[in-house]
Amino acid sequence: MDTEGTYDARGTRSGWVPRPAGPPPRPALPPRPAEAPTAAASLGDWLRTPRAPAEPGLWRFGHKPRPDADPDRVPDRALLVGALVALLAAILVWSLWTNGYIPHSRLLLELFTPAEWWTYPRPPQAQTAIQVYNSLFAALLMFAFGRMGNWLEVFRRYAVDCPQPERTLRTGLAGAAAVWLVIGTNLFPFFFTIWSLVPLSWTTGDGDRGLATFVNYALYVVVGGAVLWPFAKSGDWLGQLGRRKPGAAAPVPAAPSTAPATSPADWPQLRDAGLVAVADRLVAEERAGRMNDVDCVRIRRAWTTVKADPSRLGAFTDAVAGQGARACLHPSGDRDLPARAATHDLLTSQVRIGRYPDTERTPVTRRGAGAAVEPAALGSSLIAIGPFGSGKTRHLVRPVVESLALQALAGKAAVVAVCAAGTPLGADDGYDVVIKPGDPESAYDLDLYGGTPDPDEAAALLAEAFAGDLTEVDARRATTVLAQLLGPYRAAHGRFPSVPVLRELLDGSPGALAELRARLDSEAHRAYLRELDARARQLGTPGDPGLALAARVAVLDRPAFEGFFDTTGETRPFSLRALEHPLRVRIDVPERAHPEAAHLLTRLVLAQFTAGTTARRDRSLFAFLALDDATHAVTAESVRALQRLRNCNAGVLLTLRALGDVPEHLHTSLLGAVGCHMAFSGVTTWDGRLFAQAWGTEWVETTEVAKHTVFADQPLTRAIHALRKLVTGKAVTTDAVTVRKVERERWSASELAHQVPAGHAVLSLTTVTGEHAPPLLVDLRG
């Protein structure tokens, strides 16, 4: 089955990159890290967990959107103070009522009862009537002051709205306090009123002590149960008790109305297509624990290719029926990475990089939610600025590279990571190709010419790498000089020159040029001979970029790089044109031993990546390049190339210690070329100013309070004001409050430099479709 080179047998497609012999094959199911589902039940729960549609930058896995702030919501402090004041007032009124300090308190009772009840001695009916009357007044008192003090809102906010089992505990404590007040104290007459309404013969038992005991305890149970019932209902005591029973199954949360009736773990897309047996095989694999999240997403990806090309249906069905969860494997045979350092959700292609803290600047809907990035945002490219130790590699580069590597195993992406040797971006076993220029143990080599057979294109790539950062060298003239040499050499030898030969040609060595001229046919290669003649005339002239290019090539013509950048085909050169396949590539540049060569190679990889991704015929795979240190790699041409990646399903991650590593005339264009920006803690105010300009302004509501001195006209008022000023030392003033909307920067340069805590960053995202997420503070350790 042709599946874009993703699932074909190894070595059957052109441009395939071989892998060196490795360790013995891994077990059937590789060990799983803690962040991923490990067992059948966990994988099923992972598949069933809802992914809420959310704005860019929100971690969608299990996300429950928080409601917007209620403008009518009473603050907690005001709510509690109001409830306490109402309670004290109710106690005061009840004390005055019970002690007879309220005149004519029994007037209504005496109007509707016989007059002989109120003569001494009073009959038992009068005492019962008084208790009923006081109970009605107590109920009215509690209703009135409860409404004024908003007691129900206090109970709902601090007891009912809590998660289980805290909700049960708090409602239980409130219910116990209510039972104690009704039955255990004489403060309210409710219980004694009910007791007095029961016939005396029942409570005394007419001499039968057992009957009397039963009736009295039954009254306690009935009254206590009636008091506890609303608390039990609001606290869901019965439901919580059912969950605590031994052997009770955990309740499955109700699916939203928009969710399909069939669980995603049952592969409904296959069942709808009539592939019931295939779906049953995958369900059995998942329940037996032989499937992981990479397998699930990889097979889903394969099914999408089948829907695009129905001729692949037979091969897909046979593969799943015969191999189960191992069907449609990545060409490497890997089903997972050796280890994971971040939390991933492969169904949404997201990787979690932190959380949005609960601060005033964070919108209510994002407070406490996870922060994540995905290909939809990375496709517009991302630049991260932060000093050494701010966590760019640990908190951003490695999680993003790891996420793209997992997606490559699922057949959805291709990733290239460029870092200094020794940078912790995962073990070598987690990559298909690991290139280590300058290391004799490296199994792969880097194609210096990007795998292109066109001399002009190869010259443009080398000119960008060798002279892109040189202001004194014109890029077009450098490209012309290289093309004048590469074209004739390829016509004469059928390949491009090696590094030492290219250095000799650029230096204008008479022997090298004469040998090249001798290999060219005077008739068939007349145009190339003219190129060599033109190059010979330019040697040594003012403004000739040949010597500058030769000096840059000399950086790679060192003993440490002997055997690298070979063009004879004796080594394993890797070309970035192979990114039409789901590859995981890491390039370790020699930053410590050869920093200038490392910068040159980084520029070369960036130029080859942008040229290769824009020239891809099949853009179904998301191609991504991560530069752990883009110092001296950003040039005017690379900035223009970044803008072309958005419609090529590709993106680049650039990390810099400061924008000063980029030429000053490129600062504005670089921030405008990428759609995502990230400022780590410790950036300077100069860099913060550029970020503030890129993020723009917003309208905010401000409150201004002006104090005005009060001048009294009346003698008594002036005397009171003078006494108050004598006691407090301040004049009597009134507040004039002005509320207005003003336009201010989302983040100022000073705030970015001084108010971003350690372990935090300010992140703004823009997707390739134009969706925006404003710059928000992210806790990278959350």
Side-chain angles (χ1 to χ4, degrees), residues 557-571:
D557 188 17
R558 303 287 300 164
F561 300 109
E562 184 178 0
F564 283 89
F565 317 115
D566 181 64
T567 59
T568 62
E570 297 178 358
T571 61

Side-chain angles (χ1 to χ4, degrees), residues 512 671 706:
L671 292 179

Side-chain angles (χ1 to χ4, degrees), residues 395-535:
H395 295 303
L396 178 64
V397 178
R398 178 164 184 180
V400 170
V401 171
E402 191 176 272
S403 174
L404 271 299
L406 288 171
Q407 294 177 47
L409 292 179
K412 299 171 62 177
V415 59
V416 179
V418 181
C419 61
T423 303
L425 289 186
D428 292 355
D429 292 344
Y431 294 89
D432 303 310
V433 176
V434 178
I435 305 173
K436 301 178 179 180
D439 186 350
E441 300 296 329
S442 178
Y444 288 95
D445 193 2
L446 181 64
D447 191 337
L448 195 66
Y449 301 95
T452 177
D454 185 358
D456 292 329
E457 184 178 354
L461 295 177
L462 290 183
E464 170 66 13
F466 293 150
D469 61 330
L470 298 177
T471 57
E472 65 274 12
V473 176
D474 183 27
R476 291 174 295 181
R477 294 196 63 185
T479 302
T480 302
V481 168
L482 287 168
Q484 288 171 343
L485 298 174
L486 296 182
Y489 193 93
R490 181 173 178 82
H493 296 84
R495 57 181 174 86
F496 289 119
S498 62
V499 171
V501 174
L502 179 61
R503 180 183 179 184
E504 291 181 358
L505 293 174
L506 289 171
D507 276 334
S509 173
L513 291 175
E515 180 184 357
L516 178 57
R517 183 185 298 274
R519 280 182 170 270
L520 295 175
D521 185 84
S522 58
E523 295 297 332
H525 301 138
R526 186 176 302 174
Y528 292 122
L529 290 173
R530 287 200 306 268
E531 293 284 337
L532 289 179
D533 293 338
R535 179 66 199 131

